[in-house]
Amino acid sequence: LNLFSTANLLAFSKETKTSGEATRIESLAKFTKVISIVEQYNVDEITIEELMDKALEGMMSNLDAHSNYLKQKDFKNLKVQTNGEFGGLGITVGIRDGALTVIAPIEGTPADKAGLKSSDIILKINEKSTLNMTIDEAVSIMRGKVGDPIEITIVREGEAKPLKINIVRGIITIESVYAKSIGNDIQYIRVTSFDKKVVTDVSKAIKKR
């Protein structure tokens, strides 16, 4: 009985393995065929590298809520964010009515000291038009080496002409932990983003209590 059961188990395992390998080959063949069809009939010029990036991005974004495929530029930006500080201007920007707009300058940063204000519309960054520019593109241009100058051309409500504002990049520190006391018994701690300073800053906030 034991010999018979073992033989059947081995046969089942071998069959399952073979079936799994066949399914894997079929799936990879299907993927390769789709890539070939897209390359042949897509109306826009796109490289095989771009196609693979799109495929990987789609796969990882649909895998679960926490997985992402990061290209070199995206990984670099992630490292900047997790570091907790970077060279830049110190403004939060967004797209409003199709225009790159200052949401708010961070107090005490080069942008704040230079006079940038909430609702300023950014027309140019170093003579480069922001028309159709994404937020990521704008941020990557505005970030840079500490001490390097940058010129921002803006439209401001109440001003007849666009204004050119020269700013020198400085060290921008991300405040990821906010803490305050509520009454005598409660310490409120809010973590807005996770970077390498979070544990230290949370510990400091707790000890202050």
Side-chain angles (χ1 to χ4, degrees), residues 15 39 49 51 53 76 82 90 99 115 136 144 150 154 161 165 168 173 175 177 183 188 191 206 208:
E15 182 181 345
E39 277 190 299
E49 184 180 6
L51 278 175
D53 282 341
K76 184 179 179 181
T82 55
D136 287 343
I150 185 171
I154 65 167
K161 297 180 179 179
I165 299 179
V168 176
T173 302
E175 297 294 338
V177 177
Y188 172 80
V191 177
I206 293 172
K208 282 183 180 178

Side-chain angles (χ1 to χ4, degrees), residues 50-165:
E50 291 172 322
L51 278 175
M52 293 305 297
D53 282 341
K54 290 179 182 295
L56 291 170
E57 286 169 1
M59 177 180 69
M60 297 304 292
S61 64
N62 286 283
L63 187 63
D64 55 55
H66 309 288
S67 298
N68 286 287
Y69 171 70
L70 300 178
K71 291 180 282 189
Q72 185 175 9
K73 183 186 72 174
D74 299 325
F75 180 61
K76 184 179 179 181
N77 289 335
L78 178 65
K79 289 199 295 184
V80 168
Q81 292 174 10
T82 55
N83 190 47
E85 63 180 35
F86 53 87
L89 309 184
I91 53 173
T92 303
V93 295
I95 303 295
R96 288 183 176 175
D97 298 324
L100 185 67
T101 306
V102 177
I103 304 301
I106 301 172
E107 186 177 354
T109 62
D112 182 40
K113 293 175 181 177
L116 278 179
K117 297 180 179 179
S118 177
S119 297
D120 284 345
I121 296 173
I122 302 176
L123 291 182
K124 295 180 181 179
I125 305 173
N126 279 343
E127 296 302 322
K128 184 173 183 178
S129 172
T130 61
L131 185 65
N132 297 323
M133 183 181 289
T134 66
I135 294 175
D136 287 343
E137 289 172 332
V139 169
S140 66
I141 295 173
M142 289 188 286
R143 286 180 180 172
K145 185 178 178 181
V146 174
D148 282 355
I150 185 171
E151 184 180 77
I152 305 293
T153 304
I154 65 167
V155 171
R156 178 175 292 167
E157 187 177 356
E159 297 288 342
K161 297 180 179 179
L163 304 175
K164 290 188 176 183
I165 299 179

